[in-house]
């Protein structure tokens, strides 16, 4: 909605807004473009980023943490700095591996030139015109933001889980949390 309103018509110094609010935006979009193409444009790119991206995110985090476990130790022996390193690495890996899908999704949602095109067509067009750099435009700042943010996410998660374990140590036996049914990461 912000993208469309910022691109609204300006004549004689007067700006007209395309939408009068969220519901007006939804109704006009569905009426003019249909439900699937209007409200779900760019979802393929989001799925192509999120599903394998989360695999990389958790995989890199676990890989870093497992590589730092002292001989004869467990994951509970890891320090906060290891969780920070694992989280930072995971965040950068998440955004690096599938950043082009995010770029294409942004183009599909915001660029009127691509409004009626599919993911593959837009991907090929951007790659042909701008090369690999066009697919990774903005990655540097995204990675710089991701490293500290994801470092804190994982470190705080591990600290919180550690506090819960100290608060109710009987909640776990044989690696199984009996209340939730989840297998613990020991």
């Amino acid at each position: 909605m912000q993208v469309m309103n910022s691109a609204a018509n300006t004549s004689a110094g007067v700006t007209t807004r395309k939408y009068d609010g969220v519901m007006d935006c939804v109704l006009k979009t569905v009426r003019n473009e249909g439900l699937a193409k209007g409200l779900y444009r760019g979802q393929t790119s989001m799925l192509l980023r999120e599903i394998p991206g989360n695999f990389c995110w958790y995989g890199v985090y676990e890989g870093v943490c497992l590589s730092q476990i002292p001989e004869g130790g467990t994951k509970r022996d890891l320090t906060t700095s290891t969780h920070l390193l694992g989280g930072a690495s995971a965040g950068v890996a998440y955004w690096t591996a599938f950043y082009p899908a995010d770029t294409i999704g942004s183009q599909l949602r915001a660029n009127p030139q691509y409004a009626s095109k599919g993911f593959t067509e837009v991907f090929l067009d951007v790659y042909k015109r701008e090369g690999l750099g066009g697919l990774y435009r903005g990655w540097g700042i995204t990675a710089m933001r991701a490293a500290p943010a994801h470092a804190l996410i994982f470190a705080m998660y591990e600290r919180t889980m550690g506090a819960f374990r100290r608060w109710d140590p009987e909640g776990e036996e044989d690696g199984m949390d009996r209340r939730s049914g989840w297998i613990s990461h020991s």
Side-chain angles (χ1 to χ4, degrees):
M1 192 167 89
Q2 291 174 340
V3 171
M4 292 302 193
N5 277 335
S6 68
N9 297 332
T10 303
S11 61
V14 177
T15 302
T16 58
R17 295 174 54 113
K18 188 170 182 175
Y19 303 113
D20 293 323
V22 175
M23 286 309 298
D24 184 48
C25 178
V26 169
L27 293 173
K28 285 180 179 176
T29 301
V30 170
R31 187 178 314 123
N32 296 331
E33 300 178 43
L35 185 66
K37 286 196 178 216
L39 296 183
Y40 296 100
R41 181 184 307 138
Q43 291 301 303
T44 300
S45 61
M46 189 264 313
L47 291 172
L48 289 172
R49 181 195 73 210
E50 290 295 321
I51 294 169
N54 279 296
F55 176 80
C56 287
W57 194 54
Y58 288 111
V60 168
Y61 175 72
E62 287 295 319
V64 168
C65 288
L66 291 175
S67 74
Q68 300 301 308
I69 294 174
E71 191 171 329
T74 69
K75 192 173 175 189
R76 291 185 184 180
D77 298 325
L78 296 175
T79 64
T80 300
S81 61
T82 300
H83 296 300
L84 288 167
L85 175 64
S89 301
V92 172
Y94 172 90
W95 284 105
T96 300
F98 301 98
Y99 196 79
D102 192 64
T103 300
I104 300 308
S106 296
Q107 289 292 324
L108 284 166
R109 287 184 294 276
N111 189 338
Q113 171 186 343
Y114 296 128
S116 63
K117 298 183 179 178
F119 178 85
T120 304
E121 190 176 357
V122 175
F123 180 92
L124 293 172
D125 186 54
V126 171
Y127 183 74
K128 184 170 63 173
R129 285 186 303 104
E130 302 178 46
L132 197 57
L135 295 171
Y136 277 92
R137 185 183 309 115
W139 171 85
I141 194 70
T142 300
M144 287 173 50
R145 173 196 54 84
H150 294 260
L152 289 172
I153 288 168
F154 278 106
M156 292 308 298
Y157 169 79
E158 296 292 351
R159 296 287 295 192
T160 302
M161 291 306 295
F164 286 150
R165 282 187 207 102
R166 283 189 299 279
W167 179 56
D168 186 12
E170 288 84 37
E172 284 190 32
E173 293 175 16
D174 302 324
M176 179 66 92
D177 181 340
R178 302 291 180 223
R179 291 163 306 188
S180 68
W182 289 97
I183 298 174
S184 70
H185 298 289
S186 35

